Amino acid sequence: MAVKSVTHLNFRGEARAALEFYQSVFGGVLAAVTYKDAGGVQDPAEADQVMWGQVLAGNGFHVMAYDVPSRMPWNQGENSFFLSLRGETTQEVTAYWDRLSEGATVVQPLGPAQWAPLYGMLKDRFGVVWVVDVVSEYNG
């Protein structure tokens, strides 16, 4: 039996925009259920926010997201998590980097590193920190 881990991102009113952005970067199918769709509206101002959403692409990319309701505590925090994106070629990784970096703050420019042919880190326009690299053999 196999198990799969999928990153689930939590937002406060930006989940749909974030999922649309990630779909524009990685392709795939975006699915989203709003609080109104699910009959779970507790605050009418949040009826159209995402209760469950995901982008699932044929290239293996999969991310889930939702909008934390205002009645629940939420703090994105600082460095609470990184989303790691690993590709097999510099061309593949550079293409994703170029798209992800739209409106982003570059923490570490994309370039060669001691542990990978290509590595970079950025905080995208939704505050998500991405660690991007080309997979390499670890000889430790």
Side-chain angles (χ1 to χ4, degrees):
M1 177 179 227
V3 66
K4 181 179 179 183
S5 175
V6 177
T7 301
H8 190 284
L9 304 172
N10 301 333
F11 296 95
R12 182 77 86 187
E14 291 188 300
R16 182 176 302 279
L19 289 168
E20 289 171 352
F21 175 66
Y22 300 140
Q23 181 187 33
S24 77
V25 172
F26 298 100
V29 176
L30 187 156
V33 175
T34 65
Y35 286 98
K36 180 172 53 182
D37 295 337
V41 176
Q42 292 194 17
D43 179 346
E46 298 172 346
D48 292 322
Q49 290 186 0
V50 175
M51 186 181 94
W52 175 88
Q54 74 174 5
V55 172
L56 180 59
N59 59 11
F61 181 80
H62 189 186
V63 70
M64 298 173 69
Y66 98 118
D67 287 309
V68 178
S70 60
R71 71 182 185 284
M72 295 174 63
W74 178 80
N75 181 334
Q76 188 173 25
E78 191 67 30
N79 295 320
S80 57
F81 68 91
F82 296 152
L83 198 95
S84 175
L85 175 68
R86 308 190 87 197
E88 294 183 10
T89 69
T90 58
Q91 295 82 6
E92 175 185 37
V93 166
T94 301
Y96 290 132
W97 174 271
D98 290 345
R99 289 179 275 182
L100 278 172
S101 60
E102 179 184 318
T105 300
V106 174
V107 177
Q108 173 68 43
L110 190 64
Q114 288 180 305
W115 61 91
L118 208 56
Y119 168 84
M121 181 187 289
L122 60 80
K123 182 184 279 190
D124 75 19
R125 62 187 184 202
F126 298 100
V128 175
V129 178
W130 292 78
V131 178
V132 179
D133 69 344
V134 173
V135 177
S136 63
E137 189 97 11
Y138 177 72
N139 297 318

